[in-house]
């Protein structure tokens, strides 16, 4: 995967979250990232490319945040049994 493709996909994943740039930077820094908050912000807005290790740590920070979120509600299919099926009545 190219640097630009990784950047584009990481930015798209970040934008799908409720994280602020600062909160993402804190997560990234706590995982061992070395770039400053301004550098992370520039990366997220395609103004700067980060070295491979820094890109991967930033991607990890985004992915861990996404994984920690509760799953989105799912629409049930007709005829389903169980907690997502509507009660018969």
């Amino acid at each position: 995967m190219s640097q630009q493709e990784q950047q584009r996909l990481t930015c798209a994943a970040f934008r799908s979250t409720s994280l602020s740039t600062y909160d993402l930077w804190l997560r990234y820094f706590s995982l061992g990232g070395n770039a400053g908050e301004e550098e992370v912000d520039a990366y997220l807005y395609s103004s700067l490319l980060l070295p491979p290790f820094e890109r991967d740590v930033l991607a990890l920070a985004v992915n861990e945040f996404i994984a920690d979120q509760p799953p989105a509600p799912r629409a049930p299919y007709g005829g389903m049994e169980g907690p997502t099926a509507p009660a018969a009545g």
Side-chain angles (χ1 to χ4, degrees):
M1 171 181 307
S2 73
Q3 293 178 35
Q4 291 81 7
E5 183 71 3
Q6 183 182 18
Q7 182 181 38
R8 186 182 69 75
L9 294 172
T10 299
C11 292
F14 166 71
R15 288 187 192 107
S16 76
T17 73
S18 61
L19 272 173
S20 69
T21 303
Y22 177 74
D23 289 336
L24 173 60
W25 177 79
L26 283 178
R27 287 174 165 270
Y28 157 82
F29 187 75
S30 73
L31 292 168
N34 296 308
E37 182 184 355
E38 289 180 4
E39 292 169 294
V40 168
D41 184 63
Y43 179 80
L44 293 171
Y45 292 96
S46 303
S47 300
L48 175 74
L49 286 174
L50 294 172
F53 174 77
E54 303 304 330
R55 292 193 312 264
D56 287 347
V57 175
L58 192 61
L60 176 62
V62 172
N63 289 335
E64 284 191 353
F65 177 80
I66 292 169
D68 289 344
Q69 300 310 296
R74 309 257 338 224
Y77 295 100
M80 284 184 65
E81 299 290 327
T84 58

